[in-house]
Amino acid sequence: MGEMDSIDPKILLVGEEGISLRDYSGLLERSGFQVRMRPPGVGIFDDLFSFEPRLILVELSKPGIDWRRIFREARERPQFIPIIFLASLEAAGEAAEVVKEGAADFLIQPVGAQALLFRIRKALERQQLEAELKSLQRELRFRRNEDYIVGGSAGIQFLLGEIIKIAGADLNVMITGETGTGKELVARAIHYNGKRAGRPFIAVNCSAIPDPLLENQMFGHVKGSYTGADAAAKGLYEEADGGTLFFDEIGDLPFPLQAKLLKVLESGEFRKIGGIETVRVDVRTLAATHKDLSVEVKEGRFREDLFYRLNAFPIHIPPLRRRKEDIPLLVNHFCRLHQDKLDKKLEGFSTSAIQKLMFYDWPGNVRELENRVRQAMINAAGPLVYREDIQLEENGESHSFKSFKEAKQEFEKNYVMNVLRITNGNVTEAAKLAQKERKDFYDLMRKHRLHAQKFRSP
């Protein structure tokens, strides 16, 4: 928020001239915003270019104001400008329409000063995050449409920045995260945005191949090396020569194979099963795990030297329950992705359906969300997916089996954590965003044992 305050964001205030409109204008100017007022009957197109507002605030004092034209003109800009509507009770019936059209927010008057300023700042933050996200997405290249990393949260923005940073460096990367967070998706993004993008990308799941077969898969064999080996066969390292080999669930790699993998990482050389000749390859190795490999090392199940070789650049993917603001974007993405496959032409998910998805903790993360979205699309009888079409496990709902006190404590802790994430661990800015005194915000952090440095980007 410090950056926004320093540049005095411009707000275009659209409405009928009157006391309330002048009150809003005065409030915004006292709060550090530059304001221009414009009657609703006059085109705002010229203002969008001459004034260049960061946000449009529209007062719907009576029904019938042509807010659709305001949307159309705002969309003429290369970067869509967030629009907040302030409606009287008489015009409240239009709320659902403007929200569906893409309004940033909709408030029923009278609106308190602090509430209005908070909503405006949140809309400006979202606009800034989305602009940064689009910039990062433009920098990233992906092989297929379904390979896109979807999300607008601070966690996803940081992740995309890390991918861009490491993609061209050609170092080994360790990708960590819970099951279903999209570790292979991140690996593909690293490969296709690096120097090896035109060469093979090969993925192997260490937990899905039986131990006796995994070495053969990795290094291949010579003819006659074992019964049934009637011909020589290449392994994955040879197939990936010049490109990238991705080891998913590297924590499940058998201990004897860890030494052989270490040798390849150190020298770029290996021998096939039954062979005496050394094979040289040039392969970038990416690895992923949901396990804590430092614990595996301490308990003797994973080689320490291999861990440090693989962990040249660590990347962590946040779980979905820590970035729930990405759920609507992910739902829309999966809905578009699967419509043709399921032969279902849908308008999308209803507000109540999205709310149900937002209240769920997603132990299976993005993979589970995609499965539930696909299932709900099949269940839907009409053009919209409703709450009743979504089937979720009861023990995954964040509000299940909790007392009111427990739910309140959990909400409070998550709120403080989210504010700290947004402000990158800046407690002064976090307190300002939460509309709390700095001392009171520190008390909340101590209450929930939260430390600001954990939320600061490296």
Side-chain angles (χ1 to χ4, degrees), residues 125-179:
E125 284 172 5
R126 284 197 298 270
Q127 180 201 41
Q128 186 172 321
L129 285 172
E130 288 168 8
E132 291 171 1
L133 179 67
K134 287 177 182 176
S135 175
L136 289 169
Q137 289 282 20
R138 282 194 295 270
E139 292 183 57
L140 284 170
R141 297 187 301 274
F142 293 87
R143 189 177 59 135
R144 303 170 302 181
N145 180 53
E146 56 262 43
D147 281 341
Y148 273 98
I149 297 171
V150 176
S153 63
I156 288 300
Q157 284 194 296
F158 180 75
L159 174 66
L160 293 175
E162 293 291 275
I163 291 170
I164 291 171
K165 186 191 305 180
I166 194 57
D170 216 32
L171 292 173
N172 298 331
V173 178
M174 177 68 75
I175 306 165
T176 58
E178 296 178 7
T179 299

Short mmCIF file of all heavy atoms in Angstrom, two decimals, residues 125-179:
data_model
loop_
_atom_site.label_atom_id
_atom_site.label_comp_id
_atom_site.label_asym_id
_atom_site.label_seq_id
_atom_site.Cartn_x
_atom_site.Cartn_y
_atom_site.Cartn_z
N GLU A 125 -5.34 -2.93 -5.17
CA GLU A 125 -4.34 -3.98 -4.96
C GLU A 125 -4.55 -5.13 -5.94
O GLU A 125 -3.60 -5.66 -6.53
CB GLU A 125 -4.43 -4.51 -3.53
CG GLU A 125 -3.82 -3.58 -2.50
CD GLU A 125 -4.11 -4.04 -1.09
OE1 GLU A 125 -4.69 -5.14 -0.92
OE2 GLU A 125 -3.78 -3.30 -0.15
N ARG A 126 -5.83 -5.53 -6.11
CA ARG A 126 -6.11 -6.62 -7.05
C ARG A 126 -5.71 -6.24 -8.47
O ARG A 126 -5.16 -7.05 -9.21
CB ARG A 126 -7.60 -6.97 -7.00
CG ARG A 126 -8.01 -7.77 -5.79
CD ARG A 126 -9.37 -8.43 -5.98
NE ARG A 126 -10.42 -7.45 -6.18
CZ ARG A 126 -11.14 -6.90 -5.20
NH1 ARG A 126 -10.90 -7.22 -3.95
NH2 ARG A 126 -12.09 -6.03 -5.48
N GLN A 127 -6.00 -4.97 -8.84
CA GLN A 127 -5.63 -4.51 -10.17
C GLN A 127 -4.12 -4.59 -10.36
O GLN A 127 -3.62 -5.03 -11.40
CB GLN A 127 -6.11 -3.08 -10.38
CG GLN A 127 -5.75 -2.52 -11.76
CD GLN A 127 -5.77 -1.00 -11.79
OE1 GLN A 127 -5.30 -0.38 -10.85
NE2 GLN A 127 -6.29 -0.43 -12.85
N GLN A 128 -3.37 -4.16 -9.34
CA GLN A 128 -1.92 -4.19 -9.43
C GLN A 128 -1.40 -5.62 -9.52
O GLN A 128 -0.51 -5.92 -10.32
CB GLN A 128 -1.33 -3.48 -8.21
CG GLN A 128 0.19 -3.32 -8.25
CD GLN A 128 0.68 -2.44 -7.11
OE1 GLN A 128 0.05 -1.45 -6.76
NE2 GLN A 128 1.80 -2.81 -6.53
N LEU A 129 -1.96 -6.51 -8.69
CA LEU A 129 -1.55 -7.91 -8.72
C LEU A 129 -1.84 -8.54 -10.08
O LEU A 129 -1.02 -9.27 -10.63
CB LEU A 129 -2.25 -8.70 -7.62
CG LEU A 129 -1.75 -8.49 -6.19
CD1 LEU A 129 -2.67 -9.19 -5.21
CD2 LEU A 129 -0.33 -9.01 -6.03
N GLU A 130 -3.02 -8.25 -10.64
CA GLU A 130 -3.39 -8.83 -11.93
C GLU A 130 -2.49 -8.30 -13.05
O GLU A 130 -2.11 -9.04 -13.96
CB GLU A 130 -4.86 -8.52 -12.24
CG GLU A 130 -5.82 -9.34 -11.39
CD GLU A 130 -7.25 -8.84 -11.49
OE1 GLU A 130 -7.50 -7.96 -12.34
OE2 GLU A 130 -8.10 -9.32 -10.72
N ALA A 131 -2.12 -7.02 -12.97
CA ALA A 131 -1.22 -6.46 -13.99
C ALA A 131 0.14 -7.12 -13.92
O ALA A 131 0.74 -7.46 -14.94
CB ALA A 131 -1.10 -4.95 -13.78
N GLU A 132 0.64 -7.32 -12.69
CA GLU A 132 1.94 -7.98 -12.54
C GLU A 132 1.86 -9.43 -13.00
O GLU A 132 2.79 -9.95 -13.62
CB GLU A 132 2.38 -7.91 -11.07
CG GLU A 132 2.74 -6.51 -10.61
CD GLU A 132 2.98 -6.42 -9.12
OE1 GLU A 132 2.89 -7.47 -8.46
OE2 GLU A 132 3.26 -5.32 -8.62
N LEU A 133 0.73 -10.08 -12.70
CA LEU A 133 0.56 -11.47 -13.11
C LEU A 133 0.55 -11.59 -14.63
O LEU A 133 1.20 -12.46 -15.20
CB LEU A 133 -0.75 -12.02 -12.54
CG LEU A 133 -1.08 -13.48 -12.91
CD1 LEU A 133 -0.09 -14.42 -12.27
CD2 LEU A 133 -2.49 -13.82 -12.48
N LYS A 134 -0.18 -10.69 -15.31
CA LYS A 134 -0.22 -10.73 -16.77
C LYS A 134 1.15 -10.48 -17.37
O LYS A 134 1.52 -11.08 -18.38
CB LYS A 134 -1.23 -9.71 -17.30
CG LYS A 134 -2.68 -10.11 -17.06
CD LYS A 134 -3.64 -9.04 -17.52
CE LYS A 134 -5.09 -9.44 -17.22
NZ LYS A 134 -6.04 -8.38 -17.59
N SER A 135 1.91 -9.60 -16.73
CA SER A 135 3.27 -9.34 -17.20
C SER A 135 4.12 -10.59 -17.08
O SER A 135 4.87 -10.94 -17.99
CB SER A 135 3.88 -8.19 -16.39
OG SER A 135 5.23 -8.00 -16.76
N LEU A 136 3.98 -11.29 -15.94
CA LEU A 136 4.74 -12.53 -15.76
C LEU A 136 4.29 -13.59 -16.75
O LEU A 136 5.11 -14.31 -17.32
CB LEU A 136 4.54 -13.04 -14.32
CG LEU A 136 5.23 -12.23 -13.22
CD1 LEU A 136 4.74 -12.69 -11.86
CD2 LEU A 136 6.75 -12.37 -13.30
N GLN A 137 2.97 -13.70 -16.98
CA GLN A 137 2.46 -14.70 -17.91
C GLN A 137 2.95 -14.43 -19.33
O GLN A 137 3.24 -15.36 -20.09
CB GLN A 137 0.92 -14.70 -17.90
CG GLN A 137 0.31 -15.26 -16.63
CD GLN A 137 0.34 -16.78 -16.59
OE1 GLN A 137 1.10 -17.42 -17.30
NE2 GLN A 137 -0.50 -17.36 -15.75
N ARG A 138 3.05 -13.13 -19.71
CA ARG A 138 3.55 -12.81 -21.04
C ARG A 138 5.00 -13.25 -21.21
O ARG A 138 5.44 -13.61 -22.29
CB ARG A 138 3.43 -11.31 -21.31
CG ARG A 138 2.02 -10.86 -21.67
CD ARG A 138 2.03 -9.47 -22.25
NE ARG A 138 2.46 -8.49 -21.27
CZ ARG A 138 1.64 -7.84 -20.44
NH1 ARG A 138 0.34 -8.10 -20.48
NH2 ARG A 138 2.08 -6.95 -19.59
N GLU A 139 5.75 -13.19 -20.11
CA GLU A 139 7.16 -13.58 -20.18
C GLU A 139 7.33 -15.10 -20.26
O GLU A 139 8.35 -15.60 -20.72
CB GLU A 139 7.91 -13.07 -18.96
CG GLU A 139 8.04 -11.55 -18.91
CD GLU A 139 8.86 -11.11 -17.71
OE1 GLU A 139 10.01 -11.57 -17.59
OE2 GLU A 139 8.36 -10.32 -16.90
N LEU A 140 6.33 -15.83 -19.78
CA LEU A 140 6.43 -17.28 -19.75
C LEU A 140 5.89 -17.91 -21.02
O LEU A 140 4.90 -17.46 -21.58
CB LEU A 140 5.62 -17.85 -18.56
CG LEU A 140 6.27 -17.68 -17.18
CD1 LEU A 140 5.27 -18.05 -16.11
CD2 LEU A 140 7.51 -18.52 -17.05
N ARG A 141 6.58 -18.95 -21.49
CA ARG A 141 6.11 -19.73 -22.63
C ARG A 141 5.66 -21.10 -22.14
O ARG A 141 6.32 -21.72 -21.31
CB ARG A 141 7.24 -19.92 -23.66
CG ARG A 141 7.75 -18.63 -24.26
CD ARG A 141 8.73 -18.93 -25.39
NE ARG A 141 9.86 -19.72 -24.93
CZ ARG A 141 10.97 -19.19 -24.39
NH1 ARG A 141 11.06 -17.89 -24.23
NH2 ARG A 141 11.97 -19.96 -24.00
N PHE A 142 4.55 -21.58 -22.68
CA PHE A 142 4.04 -22.89 -22.32
C PHE A 142 3.78 -23.70 -23.58
O PHE A 142 3.52 -23.13 -24.65
CB PHE A 142 2.73 -22.77 -21.52
CG PHE A 142 2.91 -22.14 -20.16
CD1 PHE A 142 2.87 -20.77 -20.00
CD2 PHE A 142 3.13 -22.94 -19.05
CE1 PHE A 142 3.04 -20.19 -18.76
CE2 PHE A 142 3.30 -22.37 -17.80
CZ PHE A 142 3.25 -20.99 -17.65
N ARG A 143 3.85 -25.01 -23.44
CA ARG A 143 3.68 -25.86 -24.61
C ARG A 143 2.22 -26.02 -24.99
O ARG A 143 1.87 -26.02 -26.17
CB ARG A 143 4.27 -27.25 -24.31
CG ARG A 143 4.36 -28.16 -25.52
CD ARG A 143 5.03 -29.47 -25.16
NE ARG A 143 4.30 -30.16 -24.11
CZ ARG A 143 4.02 -31.47 -24.14
NH1 ARG A 143 4.40 -32.19 -25.15
NH2 ARG A 143 3.38 -32.04 -23.16
N ARG A 144 1.34 -26.16 -24.01
CA ARG A 144 -0.08 -26.39 -24.28
C ARG A 144 -0.93 -25.46 -23.44
O ARG A 144 -0.48 -24.97 -22.41
CB ARG A 144 -0.46 -27.84 -23.93
CG ARG A 144 0.36 -28.91 -24.64
CD ARG A 144 0.10 -30.27 -24.05
NE ARG A 144 0.41 -30.31 -22.63
CZ ARG A 144 0.29 -31.39 -21.87
NH1 ARG A 144 -0.15 -32.51 -22.40
NH2 ARG A 144 0.59 -31.36 -20.59
N ASN A 145 -2.17 -25.25 -23.86
CA ASN A 145 -3.08 -24.36 -23.13
C ASN A 145 -3.30 -24.85 -21.70
O ASN A 145 -3.34 -24.06 -20.76
CB ASN A 145 -4.41 -24.28 -23.87
CG ASN A 145 -5.39 -23.37 -23.15
OD1 ASN A 145 -5.07 -22.23 -22.86
ND2 ASN A 145 -6.57 -23.87 -22.86
N GLU A 146 -3.43 -26.18 -21.53
CA GLU A 146 -3.71 -26.69 -20.18
C GLU A 146 -2.50 -26.63 -19.27
O GLU A 146 -2.59 -26.92 -18.08
CB GLU A 146 -4.25 -28.13 -20.24
CG GLU A 146 -3.36 -29.12 -20.97
CD GLU A 146 -3.83 -29.32 -22.40
OE1 GLU A 146 -4.17 -28.34 -23.08
OE2 GLU A 146 -3.84 -30.48 -22.83
N ASP A 147 -1.32 -26.27 -19.83
CA ASP A 147 -0.11 -26.18 -19.01
C ASP A 147 0.00 -24.85 -18.28
O ASP A 147 0.95 -24.64 -17.53
CB ASP A 147 1.14 -26.37 -19.88
CG ASP A 147 1.39 -27.83 -20.21
OD1 ASP A 147 0.84 -28.69 -19.49
OD2 ASP A 147 2.12 -28.12 -21.16
N TYR A 148 -0.91 -23.91 -18.51
CA TYR A 148 -0.80 -22.61 -17.88
C TYR A 148 -0.93 -22.71 -16.36
O TYR A 148 -1.74 -23.49 -15.84
CB TYR A 148 -1.87 -21.65 -18.40
CG TYR A 148 -1.45 -20.92 -19.65
CD1 TYR A 148 -1.84 -21.37 -20.90
CD2 TYR A 148 -0.64 -19.80 -19.57
CE1 TYR A 148 -1.44 -20.71 -22.05
CE2 TYR A 148 -0.24 -19.13 -20.71
CZ TYR A 148 -0.63 -19.58 -21.95
OH TYR A 148 -0.23 -18.93 -23.08
N ILE A 149 -0.12 -21.94 -15.67
CA ILE A 149 -0.24 -21.83 -14.22
C ILE A 149 -1.24 -20.72 -13.94
O ILE A 149 -1.01 -19.56 -14.26
CB ILE A 149 1.12 -21.52 -13.58
CG1 ILE A 149 2.10 -22.67 -13.85
CG2 ILE A 149 0.98 -21.29 -12.08
CD1 ILE A 149 3.53 -22.38 -13.44
N VAL A 150 -2.36 -21.09 -13.36
CA VAL A 150 -3.49 -20.16 -13.21
C VAL A 150 -3.53 -19.63 -11.78
O VAL A 150 -3.42 -20.39 -10.82
CB VAL A 150 -4.82 -20.88 -13.54
CG1 VAL A 150 -6.01 -19.95 -13.30
CG2 VAL A 150 -4.81 -21.37 -14.99
N GLY A 151 -3.73 -18.33 -11.65
CA GLY A 151 -3.87 -17.73 -10.33
C GLY A 151 -3.44 -16.29 -10.34
O GLY A 151 -2.63 -15.88 -11.17
N GLY A 152 -3.98 -15.51 -9.42
CA GLY A 152 -3.61 -14.11 -9.30
C GLY A 152 -3.13 -13.76 -7.91
O GLY A 152 -2.89 -12.60 -7.61
N SER A 153 -2.98 -14.76 -7.03
CA SER A 153 -2.57 -14.51 -5.66
C SER A 153 -1.10 -14.11 -5.59
O SER A 153 -0.32 -14.34 -6.53
CB SER A 153 -2.79 -15.77 -4.80
OG SER A 153 -1.97 -16.83 -5.27
N ALA A 154 -0.72 -13.53 -4.47
CA ALA A 154 0.67 -13.14 -4.27
C ALA A 154 1.58 -14.36 -4.33
O ALA A 154 2.70 -14.29 -4.85
CB ALA A 154 0.82 -12.42 -2.93
N GLY A 155 1.11 -15.51 -3.81
CA GLY A 155 1.91 -16.73 -3.83
C GLY A 155 2.21 -17.20 -5.25
O GLY A 155 3.33 -17.63 -5.56
N ILE A 156 1.22 -17.12 -6.13
CA ILE A 156 1.41 -17.55 -7.52
C ILE A 156 2.28 -16.54 -8.26
O ILE A 156 3.12 -16.92 -9.09
CB ILE A 156 0.05 -17.73 -8.21
CG1 ILE A 156 -0.63 -18.98 -7.66
CG2 ILE A 156 0.21 -17.85 -9.72
CD1 ILE A 156 0.14 -20.28 -7.88
N GLN A 157 2.11 -15.26 -7.98
CA GLN A 157 2.98 -14.27 -8.62
C GLN A 157 4.44 -14.51 -8.26
O GLN A 157 5.32 -14.43 -9.12
CB GLN A 157 2.57 -12.87 -8.18
CG GLN A 157 1.31 -12.37 -8.87
CD GLN A 157 1.14 -10.89 -8.66
OE1 GLN A 157 0.97 -10.44 -7.54
NE2 GLN A 157 1.20 -10.13 -9.72
N PHE A 158 4.69 -14.77 -6.99
CA PHE A 158 6.07 -15.04 -6.57
C PHE A 158 6.60 -16.30 -7.25
O PHE A 158 7.75 -16.34 -7.71
CB PHE A 158 6.12 -15.22 -5.04
CG PHE A 158 7.49 -15.49 -4.51
CD1 PHE A 158 8.43 -14.47 -4.43
CD2 PHE A 158 7.86 -16.77 -4.11
CE1 PHE A 158 9.71 -14.72 -3.95
CE2 PHE A 158 9.13 -17.03 -3.64
CZ PHE A 158 10.07 -16.01 -3.55
N LEU A 159 5.75 -17.33 -7.37
CA LEU A 159 6.15 -18.57 -8.02
C LEU A 159 6.52 -18.32 -9.48
O LEU A 159 7.56 -18.81 -9.96
CB LEU A 159 5.00 -19.59 -7.94
CG LEU A 159 5.19 -20.91 -8.69
CD1 LEU A 159 6.32 -21.71 -8.07
CD2 LEU A 159 3.90 -21.72 -8.68
N LEU A 160 5.70 -17.56 -10.20
CA LEU A 160 6.01 -17.26 -11.61
C LEU A 160 7.31 -16.48 -11.74
O LEU A 160 8.10 -16.71 -12.66
CB LEU A 160 4.86 -16.47 -12.24
CG LEU A 160 3.54 -17.23 -12.40
CD1 LEU A 160 2.46 -16.30 -12.93
CD2 LEU A 160 3.68 -18.43 -13.30
N GLY A 161 7.53 -15.56 -10.81
CA GLY A 161 8.79 -14.82 -10.82
C GLY A 161 9.99 -15.73 -10.61
O GLY A 161 11.04 -15.56 -11.26
N GLU A 162 9.87 -16.71 -9.73
CA GLU A 162 10.95 -17.67 -9.49
C GLU A 162 11.21 -18.52 -10.73
O GLU A 162 12.36 -18.83 -11.07
CB GLU A 162 10.61 -18.58 -8.30
CG GLU A 162 10.54 -17.86 -6.96
CD GLU A 162 11.91 -17.38 -6.51
OE1 GLU A 162 12.64 -18.18 -5.90
OE2 GLU A 162 12.25 -16.21 -6.78
N ILE A 163 10.14 -18.91 -11.44
CA ILE A 163 10.30 -19.70 -12.66
C ILE A 163 11.07 -18.92 -13.71
O ILE A 163 12.00 -19.43 -14.35
CB ILE A 163 8.92 -20.14 -13.20
CG1 ILE A 163 8.28 -21.16 -12.24
CG2 ILE A 163 9.04 -20.74 -14.59
CD1 ILE A 163 6.83 -21.47 -12.56
N ILE A 164 10.67 -17.65 -13.90
CA ILE A 164 11.37 -16.82 -14.88
C ILE A 164 12.83 -16.65 -14.50
O ILE A 164 13.74 -16.70 -15.34
CB ILE A 164 10.68 -15.44 -14.98
CG1 ILE A 164 9.30 -15.60 -15.63
CG2 ILE A 164 11.52 -14.45 -15.77
CD1 ILE A 164 8.45 -14.36 -15.59
N LYS A 165 13.08 -16.48 -13.19
CA LYS A 165 14.44 -16.25 -12.71
C LYS A 165 15.35 -17.46 -12.98
O LYS A 165 16.51 -17.30 -13.38
CB LYS A 165 14.38 -15.97 -11.21
CG LYS A 165 15.71 -15.58 -10.57
CD LYS A 165 15.61 -15.58 -9.05
CE LYS A 165 14.50 -14.70 -8.54
NZ LYS A 165 14.42 -14.71 -7.05
N ILE A 166 14.84 -18.68 -12.79
CA ILE A 166 15.69 -19.87 -12.85
C ILE A 166 15.66 -20.57 -14.20
O ILE A 166 16.55 -21.35 -14.52
CB ILE A 166 15.28 -20.87 -11.73
CG1 ILE A 166 16.35 -21.94 -11.54
CG2 ILE A 166 13.93 -21.51 -12.03
CD1 ILE A 166 17.73 -21.42 -11.21
N ALA A 167 14.64 -20.29 -15.03
CA ALA A 167 14.46 -21.06 -16.27
C ALA A 167 15.71 -21.06 -17.15
O ALA A 167 16.11 -22.09 -17.68
CB ALA A 167 13.26 -20.53 -17.05
N GLY A 168 16.33 -19.90 -17.30
CA GLY A 168 17.48 -19.81 -18.20
C GLY A 168 18.80 -20.12 -17.55
O GLY A 168 19.84 -20.13 -18.23
N ALA A 169 18.81 -20.39 -16.25
CA ALA A 169 20.07 -20.59 -15.52
C ALA A 169 20.65 -21.99 -15.69
O ALA A 169 21.82 -22.23 -15.39
CB ALA A 169 19.87 -20.28 -14.04
N ASP A 170 19.83 -22.95 -16.12
CA ASP A 170 20.27 -24.33 -16.37
C ASP A 170 20.82 -25.03 -15.12
O ASP A 170 21.71 -25.86 -15.21
CB ASP A 170 21.31 -24.36 -17.49
CG ASP A 170 21.16 -25.62 -18.35
OD1 ASP A 170 20.02 -26.08 -18.50
OD2 ASP A 170 22.17 -26.13 -18.84
N LEU A 171 20.29 -24.67 -13.96
CA LEU A 171 20.66 -25.35 -12.71
C LEU A 171 19.65 -26.45 -12.41
O LEU A 171 18.54 -26.46 -12.92
CB LEU A 171 20.65 -24.35 -11.55
CG LEU A 171 21.72 -23.26 -11.54
CD1 LEU A 171 21.43 -22.29 -10.40
CD2 LEU A 171 23.12 -23.85 -11.39
N ASN A 172 20.06 -27.40 -11.55
CA ASN A 172 19.11 -28.37 -11.03
C ASN A 172 18.14 -27.64 -10.10
O ASN A 172 18.53 -26.73 -9.37
CB ASN A 172 19.82 -29.48 -10.26
CG ASN A 172 20.77 -30.26 -11.13
OD1 ASN A 172 20.56 -30.39 -12.33
ND2 ASN A 172 21.83 -30.79 -10.55
N VAL A 173 16.88 -28.05 -10.12
CA VAL A 173 15.84 -27.39 -9.31
C VAL A 173 15.09 -28.44 -8.51
O VAL A 173 14.71 -29.48 -9.04
CB VAL A 173 14.86 -26.60 -10.20
CG1 VAL A 173 13.76 -25.95 -9.35
CG2 VAL A 173 15.59 -25.54 -11.00
N MET A 174 14.86 -28.15 -7.24
CA MET A 174 14.02 -28.99 -6.39
C MET A 174 12.69 -28.29 -6.17
O MET A 174 12.64 -27.18 -5.63
CB MET A 174 14.69 -29.25 -5.04
CG MET A 174 13.84 -30.07 -4.07
SD MET A 174 13.60 -31.79 -4.60
CE MET A 174 15.22 -32.45 -4.20
N ILE A 175 11.61 -28.92 -6.62
CA ILE A 175 10.26 -28.36 -6.50
C ILE A 175 9.54 -29.08 -5.37
O ILE A 175 9.39 -30.31 -5.41
CB ILE A 175 9.48 -28.52 -7.82
CG1 ILE A 175 10.28 -27.92 -8.98
CG2 ILE A 175 8.11 -27.87 -7.72
CD1 ILE A 175 9.78 -28.34 -10.35
N THR A 176 9.11 -28.35 -4.37
CA THR A 176 8.42 -28.97 -3.24
C THR A 176 6.98 -28.46 -3.17
O THR A 176 6.66 -27.38 -3.66
CB THR A 176 9.13 -28.66 -1.91
OG1 THR A 176 9.21 -27.25 -1.73
CG2 THR A 176 10.54 -29.24 -1.91
N GLY A 177 6.16 -29.25 -2.54
CA GLY A 177 4.74 -28.89 -2.39
C GLY A 177 3.93 -30.13 -2.11
O GLY A 177 4.37 -31.26 -2.38
N GLU A 178 2.74 -29.92 -1.59
CA GLU A 178 1.87 -31.05 -1.28
C GLU A 178 1.41 -31.75 -2.57
O GLU A 178 1.50 -31.20 -3.66
CB GLU A 178 0.64 -30.56 -0.50
CG GLU A 178 0.99 -29.98 0.86
CD GLU A 178 -0.23 -29.44 1.58
OE1 GLU A 178 -1.36 -29.64 1.08
OE2 GLU A 178 -0.05 -28.82 2.64
N THR A 179 0.93 -32.96 -2.41
CA THR A 179 0.40 -33.71 -3.54
C THR A 179 -0.74 -32.94 -4.20
O THR A 179 -1.63 -32.42 -3.52
CB THR A 179 -0.12 -35.08 -3.06
OG1 THR A 179 0.96 -35.81 -2.49
CG2 THR A 179 -0.70 -35.88 -4.22
#
